[in-house]
Amino acid sequence: MLANFHNRGIVSFFLGFLLCYAVVAAYLRSKCYRDPSSIFFRPESARVLTYSSFRKAQAQKFGDLAASHAIAKWANSTTPELCIGVASVSRQGFSYLKETLGSILEGLDDLERQRIYLVVFLAHTNQSQHEDFREPWLLNMADSLPTYPNDAETVDLVRQLEIDGNYEAHARKQKIDYSVLLDECAKVHPRYTMTLEDDVIALDGWYHRALNALQAATRKTRELGRDSFLYLRVFYDGRLLGWNSEEWPLYVESSVAVLIVEVVILLAFRWRITAMRKALTLPVILVLCGVCTPLLIGLFFAGGRNCMLPKKPGVHLMHQYGCCAQGLVFPQRQVVDHLLPLYRNTEDNHAAVDTFLEDWANSHDSLRWAVTPVLIQHVGGKSSHGAGDQESGSLTDDMPFDYSFEMNDPIKLAKEHKAWIAEMREMNTQ
């Protein structure tokens, strides 16, 4: 009879556990749907451009204003804190450039804008092929609109790469385009150079967050005993930060360690505490360690890494899984000493510029930092080099995307930005 009572107790406990398990699973289903590494991931909901749509509307309005009114630009009496370089290629009738530039500039105080030098390169030998060539808003937004160097050999090479149009040609031409951007930025001797792709949206307050992150990256670099870092990443692809296959041995070891610790603790309680012996029978321990805990571990992994173990806000090393080149900020020393010679002199046509740069960084043991949360979102669904083109330019599952960006609160960001501007103005008056 006691055995039957004890068995009924185990069954009741297990049924209660399953009820709690179902409640937790339902909670994770509602919380983790934005995590692509989660079993609860719902792409149709996670990819909705909520905050990005808000910023795109602001950017469009700013662009329309810039088309007919003079707006603040770099104050050429000072050395810019930041040079932003954006290379843009025609997408055959579709362009994100106006929204990209608008989101960068919209909301900036004149104090901020005057410290930024904006370079926009329409990367065609015949720039009239670009949809936004000579658009009034572009002329008023950009501080510089460079062309390819007045060098017949370079122009002929680029023209041939444009004609070829395959991946190898794109990979080679992209490095030439970046050298044009970096060279144009180098002319004004900025403290940092940021390269952005032409299909991103920046959040309100990106500038002061970038400066704070750069200060943190500089401090952490010195703490590591190094004198410089290669770049600060302001965007990374959230799809690549899940449970990576290379780390599965670590996950298995951690899971086994949890089970071992649990078994040891339960057996110690059973051995040292007499009152626990009746409750912690071997069948109970077997159910707890052999069924309940594995189910909880499985649910933990099912929830997804980004949801269960989100990155803490701040600046972190990111030497792996840092795709792609949507937004990188380089100390100017790195640009002059390494990047410009690297892009100018290479004949590599096998790797796109992001992969090419990562390979070089790995071979030179360069420090690469990333800021969390990201400062920009990739919204491009129509490629500039023939990969994954969409007639409507809509997003697809294979496009780099940060799912947490869409959870930004525009009111909180605006308040944070205004507070920073007020602080800077107060410092300037002292």
Side-chain angles (χ1 to χ4, degrees):
M1 183 174 178
L2 288 175
N4 291 336
F5 178 79
H6 188 70
N7 289 336
R8 286 199 299 271
I10 294 176
V11 171
S12 298
F13 165 79
F14 187 63
L15 290 176
F17 167 81
L18 290 179
L19 178 60
C20 295
Y21 188 87
V23 171
V24 173
Y27 170 75
L28 292 181
R29 185 176 185 274
S30 66
K31 180 184 177 183
C32 300
Y33 72 93
R34 291 183 181 273
D35 186 348
S37 66
S38 172
I39 195 175
F40 307 113
F41 178 55
R42 300 198 301 273
E44 69 283 356
S45 300
R47 278 190 170 271
V48 174
L49 299 180
T50 48
Y51 180 70
S52 290
S53 294
F54 174 80
R55 283 297 284 170
K56 288 170 79 170
Q58 288 184 317
Q60 281 284 356
K61 185 176 180 180
F62 183 89
D64 293 340
L65 177 67
S68 57
H69 296 79
I71 59 175
K73 286 194 172 185
W74 169 59
N76 58 14
S77 59
T78 61
T79 298
E81 184 79 19
L82 180 67
C83 178
I84 302 177
V86 181
S88 183
V89 178
S90 171
R91 286 174 165 81
Q92 307 302 320
F94 198 94
S95 176
Y96 302 95
L97 185 59
K98 185 177 182 180
E99 293 177 349
T100 294
L101 299 183
S103 71
I104 294 169
L105 300 179
E106 196 283 328
L108 289 182
D109 186 82
D110 289 353
L111 182 68
E112 298 172 294
R113 180 62 181 94
Q114 291 168 3
R115 299 180 180 184
I116 298 171
Y117 189 71
L118 179 57
V119 178
V120 182
F121 177 39
L122 304 183
H124 293 272
T125 51
N126 177 9
Q127 291 190 334
S128 64
Q129 293 178 357
H130 196 285
E131 295 81 5
D132 300 321
F133 179 63
R134 288 185 177 174
E135 285 288 337
W137 55 264
L138 178 58
L139 299 176
N140 286 337
M141 284 187 188
D143 294 300
S144 175
L145 292 163
T147 60
Y148 284 108
N150 189 20
D151 171 26
E153 183 178 352
T154 300
V155 172
D156 289 343
L157 171 59
V158 174
R159 187 175 289 115
Q160 185 58 51
L161 294 173
E162 289 177 328
I163 293 171
D164 291 346
N166 53 29
Y167 177 83
E168 289 76 15
H170 167 74
R172 179 75 188 280
K173 178 179 177 294
Q174 196 179 34
K175 300 177 186 70
I176 299 173
D177 296 346
Y178 269 70
S179 72
V180 173
L181 281 179
L182 297 177
D183 186 60
E184 191 69 16
C185 280
K187 293 177 182 178
V188 295
H189 310 289
R191 188 176 179 187
Y192 299 100
T193 292
M194 172 189 281
T195 58
L196 294 176
E197 293 197 353
D198 67 341
D199 55 357
V200 301
I201 292 292
L203 58 73
D204 184 8
W206 68 266
Y207 177 69
H208 74 267
R209 286 196 176 189
L211 292 185
N212 291 339
L214 287 165
Q215 291 174 1
T218 300
R219 184 186 71 253
K220 291 188 174 188
T221 297
R222 290 172 180 166
E223 290 172 355
L224 292 174
R226 307 279 287 272
D227 61 352
S228 65
F229 60 93
L230 178 59
Y231 64 64
L232 171 74
R233 179 178 293 280
V234 299
F235 172 85
Y236 46 81
D237 187 353
R239 300 172 306 164
L240 303 181
L241 300 181
W243 306 114
N244 295 292
S245 58
E246 300 91 334
E247 298 176 344
W248 271 112
L250 174 63
Y251 307 149
V252 172
E253 290 172 6
S254 300
S255 301
V256 171
V258 168
L259 284 171
I260 291 174
V261 169
E262 182 185 20
V263 169
V264 170
I265 291 174
L266 292 177
L267 289 178
F269 280 168
R270 187 173 186 273
W271 176 55
R272 296 183 65 88
I273 304 175
T274 305
M276 297 290 290
R277 291 178 185 172
K278 292 182 179 180
L280 289 178
T281 61
L282 292 180
V284 169
I285 293 176
L286 180 63
V287 169
L288 286 172
C289 299
V291 181
C292 296
T293 300
L295 283 174
L296 290 173
I297 292 174
L299 186 59
F300 176 83
F301 283 103
R305 185 172 189 170
N306 296 321
C307 182
M308 305 303 291
L309 297 172
K311 281 187 171 294
K312 295 180 180 179
V315 172
H316 315 274
L317 283 174
M318 188 174 285
H319 291 174
Q320 289 181 298
Y321 316 121
C323 178
C324 298
Q326 274 73 21
L328 303 172
V329 188
F330 304 92
Q332 193 60 19
R333 174 182 167 186
Q334 295 286 351
V335 173
V336 174
D337 292 350
H338 301 299
L339 297 184
L340 266 173
L342 182 66
Y343 291 143
R344 280 173 177 165
N345 300 330
T346 185
E347 296 184 359
D348 175 83
N349 63 353
H350 298 294
V353 69
D354 54 343
T355 304
F356 180 76
L357 181 60
E358 291 303 306
D359 290 343
W360 183 89
N362 288 332
S363 66
H364 289 76
D365 191 29
S366 298
L367 293 180
R368 286 148 285 171
W369 299 98
V371 59
T372 301
V374 300
L375 308 184
I376 62 174
Q377 176 68 290
H378 177 239
V379 297
K382 188 175 178 67
S383 172
S384 62
H385 55 277
D389 281 5
Q390 305 295 309
E391 290 184 5
S392 63
S394 58
L395 293 170
T396 58
D397 291 341
D398 62 342
M399 296 298 177
F401 195 78
D402 182 76
Y403 296 89
S404 62
F405 185 89
E406 303 307 323
M407 299 172 67
N408 277 305
D409 183 336
I411 296 176
K412 289 183 179 179
L413 289 177
K415 287 181 178 179
E416 176 189 317
H417 190 187
K418 288 179 180 179
W420 186 85
I421 293 171
E423 183 180 347
M424 289 300 101
R425 288 195 173 280
E426 184 177 349
M427 291 176 59
N428 286 344
T429 58
Q430 292 177 354

